[in-house]
Amino acid sequence: MKLVTRTSLYYLVSGIPVMIVSGFICYSIATEEIRENSDLLLGHVRYQVEGLVKRKDTASLNALIRSGEAHVRRIPKVDEPTVAFSDTLIADPADPGEDELNVNRMITANVNIQNKGYRIKVWRTTMQSGQLVLGISAAVLTVLLFLCGIYFILNYYTSQWLWRPFYRALDNLRGFRASEGETPAFLDSKITEFKELNASLAQMMQTMVADYGRQKKFSESVSHEIQTPLAVIQSKIDILIQSPDLTDQMAPLVASIADACSKLIRMSRSLILLARIENKQFPATDPVSFLRKVRSALALFDDHLKEKNLSLCIEEKADFTLKANADLCLVLVNNLVQNAIRYNYPGGSIDVTVEENLFRIANTGPSVALQKEGLFKRFNKNEEVKDSIGLGLSIAAEIANASGLVLRYDFEDGLHVFRLTRAE
C-alpha cells in the first residue's frame, strides 16, 4: 500500500468518529432549534386564540378547535396567569382510525380574559426523534462519502504530481549501478524532505561510485603487481628443482616452497576473481548453454576421472540455457566438477543431470553430510584435502548469485548433491 493511500485511509478512519460526534452535536442543536421555534410559534397561536376570545369571534375559534390544534375551556378566575410548555402524545386528527400517537409540543396558558378564567391549550406536531436521527445520519453519510471521493481524487493527483520526485528517486535507486560510473539525475522539488532525500541519495551514490572505482583500481593493481612476482618465484623454483646441484636434503624444502607458492598463486587468482564478481565487472550478455559447459568441463578433467577410476553417468534431458557471462559459467561448472572429483574416493561415481531449469551433480564421498552452515563461505575447506584453498564453492556461489541462479547442497542416499536452479 502506498504511503499517500495509507495516509488517506488514516484520515478517513479518524474522520468516522469525528463525523459521529458531529452527528450527535447536530442532533442536539437541531432538537433545541426545533423546540425553540415550536415554542415561539405556539406562543403566537396562543395570542391569536386570546384575541379571538376577546373579540368573541366564535366562528374562527370553533374552526381552530376543530382543526385539532387548539382547545379552550372556562376555568375559575386565576390569581396569577401561568404559561407552561410540555411534550405530549396526541392522535393524528386527520386519521382518527390510526392508533399511533404522535409527539406534539404543547403550550398551556391559564389566563383571565375580561375577568373570566380560560385555559388555552395549543399544540402542534413536531418531528419525531427517529426521523431527525435518520435525516442527520443520511446527511453525515453523504458528507462522509463526499469526503471519500475527495480523498481518492486527491490521492490520485497527489501521487501523480506531488510525489513524483520520490518515485523518481525510487527508480534511480533500482537502476543505479556503481559499475557504470554515473549518478542519475533527480527531479527538483520545493518540498524540504524530498530535497534532503535527493541530496542524501546523490551523495551516497557518488561515494559508492568513487569507492567502486578505488576498489576496481586496487584489484587491477593487485592482479598485476602480485601475479608478476609470484610467477617469477614459481619459475625460479622450477629452475631450482631442475638444478643438478639440488641435494636430497634440500629437495623436500624446495617441494614445500613450490607447493606453498602454487597455493598462493591460486588463492590470489581466486580472491581477485571474487572481487571482480562482487564488483560486477563481468557483463551478463551471453546466451549460455550449460550442456556445452558440462561437456567442456568433463573433457578438461577426463584425466583426473581416469586417475581416480571414477565412473561417470551423464543424463541429458534438456539444455539449461540462460543469459549470463559465459566465462563465469564455465568457471562455475568447472569448480563443481572439480569439487566432485577432489572430494571423491577412488572407484567412486559422479552423476550429472542437465534439465531445462536444473543442473545437478552428485558424487560419492564421505559417508556423512557436510555442514550446510558456512559451506559456501570463504576458506571453508576440508582439512583432509591438502591442496584445497577453500574458495571453490565460495566462487561457485558468487557466480551463481551474479548469474541469477541458486546453488544448493543436499545429502541424499549417500551422495553429496549440488543443484543449480533459476532464482525465483
Side-chain angles (χ1 to χ4, degrees):
M1 182 181 292
K2 293 184 177 180
L3 177 62
V4 66
T5 304
R6 184 176 288 272
T7 304
S8 300
L9 184 60
Y10 285 156
Y11 285 149
L12 287 176
V13 172
S14 60
I16 291 175
V18 173
M19 296 299 294
I20 293 175
V21 173
S22 301
F24 280 113
I25 295 175
C26 290
Y27 174 77
S28 301
I29 295 174
T31 302
E32 188 63 27
E33 287 293 328
I34 292 173
R35 186 184 297 273
E36 291 179 1
N37 290 334
S38 295
D39 291 349
L40 185 62
L41 181 59
L42 289 174
H44 286 307
V45 176
R46 168 218 161 188
Y47 286 124
Q48 291 178 1
V49 171
E50 288 183 8
L52 294 176
V53 173
K54 287 180 181 180
R55 293 192 302 272
K56 297 181 181 181
D57 189 350
T58 307
S60 298
L61 186 61
N62 290 336
L64 183 60
I65 292 173
R66 284 194 300 271
S67 69
E69 295 183 356
H71 178 73
V72 180
R73 71 182 181 90
R74 288 286 304 275
I75 60 172
K77 186 177 179 181
V78 296
D79 297 332
E80 186 76 24
T82 59
V83 177
F85 291 93
S86 62
D87 294 321
T88 185
L89 296 175
I90 301 176
D92 188 359
D95 192 3
E98 183 67 33
D99 295 333
E100 183 179 358
L101 299 177
N102 296 324
V103 179
N104 286 257
R105 185 68 173 167
M106 177 185 289
I107 182 174
T108 303
N110 296 324
V111 296
N112 293 323
I113 301 175
Q114 297 176 347
N115 292 324
K116 295 178 181 179
Y118 291 90
R119 175 168 292 167
I120 301 173
K121 292 184 177 181
V122 180
W123 61 87
R124 67 188 299 269
T125 303
T126 60
M127 182 180 294
Q128 296 183 6
S129 59
Q131 295 175 334
L132 185 59
V133 170
L134 183 63
I136 292 176
S137 299
V140 170
L141 183 60
T142 301
V143 173
L144 189 61
L145 292 176
F146 176 74
L147 288 177
C148 288
I150 293 296
Y151 278 139
F152 283 121
I153 293 174
L154 287 177
N155 180 23
Y156 175 77
Y157 283 104
T158 301
S159 62
Q160 293 293 320
W161 175 67
L162 187 63
W163 287 79
R164 276 198 309 164
F166 178 76
Y167 293 129
R168 171 64 70 85
L170 285 182
D171 292 337
N172 289 342
L173 281 174
R174 294 190 188 101
F176 174 70
R177 297 291 182 273
S179 58
E180 295 177 359
E182 296 180 357
T183 56
F186 293 88
L187 283 179
D188 293 332
S189 175
K190 297 180 180 179
I191 300 175
T192 304
E193 289 79 3
F194 289 161
K195 281 184 177 180
E196 294 178 355
L197 176 65
N198 291 342
S200 300
L201 290 177
Q203 183 178 4
M204 180 191 69
M205 290 178 178
Q206 290 172 1
T207 303
M208 292 177 65
V209 169
D211 290 344
Y212 173 83
R214 286 191 291 268
Q215 192 170 9
K216 181 181 178 182
K217 186 176 181 180
F218 172 77
S219 62
E220 291 174 350
S221 299
V222 168
S223 176
H224 180 267
E225 299 299 333
I226 292 182
Q227 291 297 321
T228 301
L230 285 176
V232 172
I233 294 172
Q234 183 67 49
S235 64
K236 297 298 182 182
I237 291 173
D238 292 340
I239 294 173
L240 184 59
I241 291 174
Q242 297 174 9
S243 173
D245 298 329
L246 183 64
T247 64
D248 294 339
Q249 286 183 330
M250 295 176 60
L253 296 176
V254 174
S256 177
I257 295 173
D259 182 61
C261 184
S262 177
K263 281 186 178 181
L264 186 58
I265 292 174
R266 287 189 289 117
M267 186 182 299
S268 64
R269 288 175 179 173
S270 298
L271 289 174
I272 292 170
L273 177 61
L274 279 171
R276 295 184 64 190
I277 294 172
E278 291 174 349
N279 293 336
K280 296 180 174 56
Q281 294 180 232
F282 294 93
T285 57
D286 305 321
V288 178
S289 167
F290 264 85
L291 196 56
R292 293 181 181 177
K293 300 302 179 186
V294 169
R295 291 171 180 171
S296 299
L298 293 176
L300 178 65
F301 293 103
D302 183 62
D303 293 338
H304 296 79
L305 292 170
K306 293 177 180 178
E307 181 181 349
K308 298 189 74 170
N309 193 26
L310 299 176
S311 62
L312 180 65
C313 178
I314 305 176
E315 189 175 2
E316 300 177 354
K317 296 182 179 180
D319 196 3
F320 185 7
T321 60
L322 74 158
K323 190 175 182 180
N325 186 276
D327 295 333
L328 287 183
C329 288
L330 181 59
V331 173
L332 170 60
V333 175
N334 285 346
N335 281 7
L336 292 177
V337 172
Q338 187 178 26
N339 184 78
I341 296 173
R342 178 176 293 169
Y343 296 98
N344 216 324
Y345 51 76
S349 64
I350 297 177
D351 298 330
V352 178
T353 304
V354 181
E355 298 181 8
E356 185 176 358
N357 292 304
L358 171 68
F359 167 66
R360 176 183 180 273
I361 182 167
N363 63 276
T364 53
S367 57
V368 294
L370 303 177
Q371 293 293 330
K372 290 186 178 181
E373 184 179 359
L375 180 62
F376 299 110
K377 291 183 179 179
R378 299 182 185 185
F379 303 109
N380 181 29
K381 59 183 179 179
N382 190 340
E383 299 298 335
E384 296 180 1
V385 181
K386 295 181 180 180
D387 62 342
S388 173
I389 61 174
L391 291 174
L393 289 179
S394 177
I395 293 175
E398 288 290 345
I399 295 175
N401 182 57
S403 304
L405 301 172
V406 177
L407 178 60
R408 294 186 178 92
Y409 165 79
D410 293 293
F411 187 68
E412 301 172 352
D413 300 328
L415 296 177
H416 300 272
V417 182
F418 288 90
R419 288 183 176 87
L420 271 175
T421 58
R422 298 182 192 274
E424 297 181 357

